[in-house]
Amino acid sequence: MQTLIINIKELLQVRETSINKVSGSDMAVLPTIKNAFLLIKDETIAAFGSMEDCPKLNPDNTIDAKGKIVLPSWCDSHTHIVYAGNREQEFVDRINGLSYEEIANRGGGILNSAKRLNEATEAEIYDQSKKRLEEVIQLGTGAIEIKSGYGLTVEGELKMLRVIKKLAQDYPVAIKSTFLGAHAFPMEYKENHSAYLDLIINEMLPKIVEENLADYIDAFLETGYFSVAETERIMEAGKHYGLPAKIHVNQFTAINGIEACVKHKALSVDHLEIVTDADIEALKNSETMPVALPSCSFFISIPYTPARQMMNAGLPLALATDFNPGTTPSGNMNFVVATACIKMKMTPEEAINAATINGAYAMGLSATHGSITVGKKANLIITKPLHSFYEIPYAFGSNPIEQVWLNGKAIQ
């Protein structure tokens, strides 16, 4: 099956040879071809270039993309879209002046979601979660990481991870699964952290590995949640079972967690709303991808990740949604890219690099996703007619997408 897209106004993120990520000043460079063609064969990208060089073909399908931008689908490397119910009351509580910590201390936050999750059946959770997944696909996401972490019990975590596995089987989007049992301490373990860590490591992990339910392991490394030492225990256990770490860190405080994550070769460190010079030094020359979650900062009014400071230091940066019921009830990567430009002062080129190639790296998908490269999955966004790709972040409240393609097939 061959599809030829012709007369593309501008084809973005073209890479003749596959690269893993872009860093520092290279993030400002987004390779593009104007007046381009793109050839899809079966599920993959077969060729691309200028219309002047378009081969004479007799494809099964031809699409005229005159006036339209084509780019790789978004790679959202940090979400919590498998959950039960919502936390809209906490949204109102924050408007009325309560902080994240105050809401959590009243039994809200993660523990609120855990209660709802454990009361719901696996089928109910699947039905709610698939709607969210379908929505983000329509918004251009072609690869997504989904975390557990709202079970906080053996059965609850397994239930979530089984739902993630079923979603991966039922939908064409690339899905990576992350075990986040270390999301918060259940009430019964508030004074006995070691016992809950034992439960994660000795009971949850072996069952998760036995059923092949996770690709990565995570922890909420933060003051009042999991300490550096406790998170290191989680990362070590993950390594033992072949699960690399992707860690929540520096959302509210900096407690030398990033240095520990780099030491343990974490694939990514996510949030980073608070970043010190020491944190930046720790990340230099590492294989760990920093991931910013600007729509979380937007929604709960906390600082934004200091993108410019990090890129000026030569670091890479990825962007993701953090789609979850409490602090970011949105999986719209178009809004994430726009917010990164508006609030973090990233250029459109930098933001698109962060949301495609670097997002793919942050979930181990660099070889197959994140750029227009021959042999990679034909996961694409075809926009509506636009003046330029700058209009994607500029018109932040509009949906720029006309079609989404996954694995060489149009899904809308």
Side-chain angles (χ1 to χ4, degrees), residues 215-249:
D215 301 295
Y216 301 108
I217 196 165
D218 196 349
F220 188 12
L221 198 175
E222 183 56 75
T223 301
Y225 289 85
F226 290 79
S227 69
V228 173
E230 288 164 346
T231 303
E232 287 191 295
R233 233 188 117 188
I234 295 291
M235 289 191 284
E236 286 286 1
K239 273 191 269 189
H240 176 74
Y241 285 104
L243 301 180
K246 285 170 58 64
I247 303 295
H248 286 63
V249 64

Side-chain angles (χ1 to χ4, degrees), residues 74-362:
W74 305 124
C75 296
D76 187 354
S77 67
H78 183 126
T79 82
H80 306 252
I81 71 170
V82 170
Y83 59 86
N86 65 45
R87 294 189 347 229
E88 61 191 25
Q89 182 56 49
E90 294 176 18
F91 169 65
V92 178
D93 290 340
R94 271 196 303 277
I95 293 169
N96 288 325
L98 291 183
S99 69
Y100 183 94
E101 292 82 0
E102 287 169 331
I103 290 168
N105 290 337
R106 295 192 337 176
I110 295 163
L111 296 183
N112 183 2
S113 287
K115 180 176 183 294
R116 292 168 184 262
L117 187 288
N118 284 299
E119 290 171 351
T121 67
E122 191 170 315
E124 288 169 338
I125 297 162
Y126 176 85
D127 285 342
Q128 292 179 41
S129 302
K130 75 175 184 178
K131 293 182 177 68
R132 300 179 198 113
L133 183 62
E134 288 166 2
E135 179 188 23
V136 301
I137 290 171
Q138 299 288 334
L139 290 166
T141 292
I144 190 168
E145 182 256 21
I146 309 174
K147 303 176 189 293
S148 69
Y150 294 129
L152 307 184
T153 63
V154 176
E155 279 311 309
E157 290 295 307
L158 288 171
K159 185 162 56 174
M160 290 188 74
L161 291 164
R162 287 173 185 143
V163 167
I164 297 169
K165 187 172 185 176
K166 181 168 171 53
L167 290 170
Q169 291 167 345
D170 292 350
Y171 287 87
V173 64
I175 293 178
K176 289 288 190 173
S177 176
T178 298
F179 168 50
L180 179 54
H183 201 188
F185 287 97
M187 291 302 292
E188 60 269 33
Y189 292 100
K190 280 290 185 187
E191 306 303 322
N192 192 353
H193 288 193
S194 183
Y196 185 60
L197 289 171
D198 287 343
L199 182 73
I200 290 171
I201 293 165
N202 300 326
E203 293 192 45
M204 294 184 190
L205 260 174
K207 291 182 179 177
I208 288 162
V209 173
E210 183 183 346
E211 292 189 39
N212 192 27
L213 293 176
D215 301 295
Y216 301 108
I217 196 165
D218 196 349
F220 188 12
L221 198 175
E222 183 56 75
T223 301
Y225 289 85
F226 290 79
S227 69
V228 173
E230 288 164 346
T231 303
E232 287 191 295
R233 233 188 117 188
I234 295 291
M235 289 191 284
E236 286 286 1
K239 273 191 269 189
H240 176 74
Y241 285 104
L243 301 180
K246 285 170 58 64
I247 303 295
H248 286 63
V249 64
N250 284 46
Q251 182 174 4
F252 302 112
T253 57
I255 53 175
N256 298 318
I258 288 176
E259 182 180 2
C261 294
V262 170
K263 182 178 78 175
H264 288 273
K265 300 189 182 328
L267 177 61
S268 71
V269 284
D270 302 28
H271 271 293
L272 314 183
E273 288 87 352
I274 307 298
V275 178
T276 67
D277 291 343
D279 293 327
I280 288 175
E281 285 302 314
L283 285 164
K284 283 182 180 178
N285 303 313
S286 78
E287 295 303 308
T288 300
M289 175 65 70
V291 180
L293 310 170
S295 48
C296 177
S297 298
F298 171 85
F299 191 71
I300 63 171
S301 300
I302 60 176
Y304 288 86
T305 302
R308 182 63 49 212
Q309 180 186 357
M310 296 168 73
M311 292 187 295
N312 285 349
L315 298 182
L317 189 65
L319 291 169
T321 65
D322 194 25
F323 192 173
N324 76 80
T327 62
T328 324
S330 168
N332 189 340
M333 281 292 288
N334 305 287
F335 180 72
V336 166
V337 168
T339 307
C341 295
I342 297 162
K343 294 295 187 181
M344 293 162 59
K345 303 304 179 189
M346 294 178 75
T347 66
E349 291 87 349
E350 290 166 339
I352 290 170
N353 274 323
T356 54
I357 191 71
N358 283 1
Y361 179 94

Side-chain angles (χ1 to χ4, degrees), residues 334-407:
N334 305 287
F335 180 72
V336 166
V337 168
T339 307
C341 295
I342 297 162
K343 294 295 187 181
M344 293 162 59
K345 303 304 179 189
M346 294 178 75
T347 66
E349 291 87 349
E350 290 166 339
I352 290 170
N353 274 323
T356 54
I357 191 71
N358 283 1
Y361 179 94
M363 50 182 152
L365 288 172
S366 296
T368 53
H369 293 74
S371 68
I372 303 297
T373 302
V374 171
K376 284 196 174 186
K377 290 287 186 183
N379 282 20
L380 310 167
I381 293 168
I382 302 177
T383 72
K384 299 168 184 173
L386 301 178
H387 292 94
S388 77
F389 69 85
Y390 289 175
E391 198 171 344
I392 296 172
Y394 166 76
F396 70 93
S398 300
N399 181 1
I401 297 171
E402 183 168 278
Q403 274 195 326
V404 175
W405 285 62
L406 295 182
N407 302 326

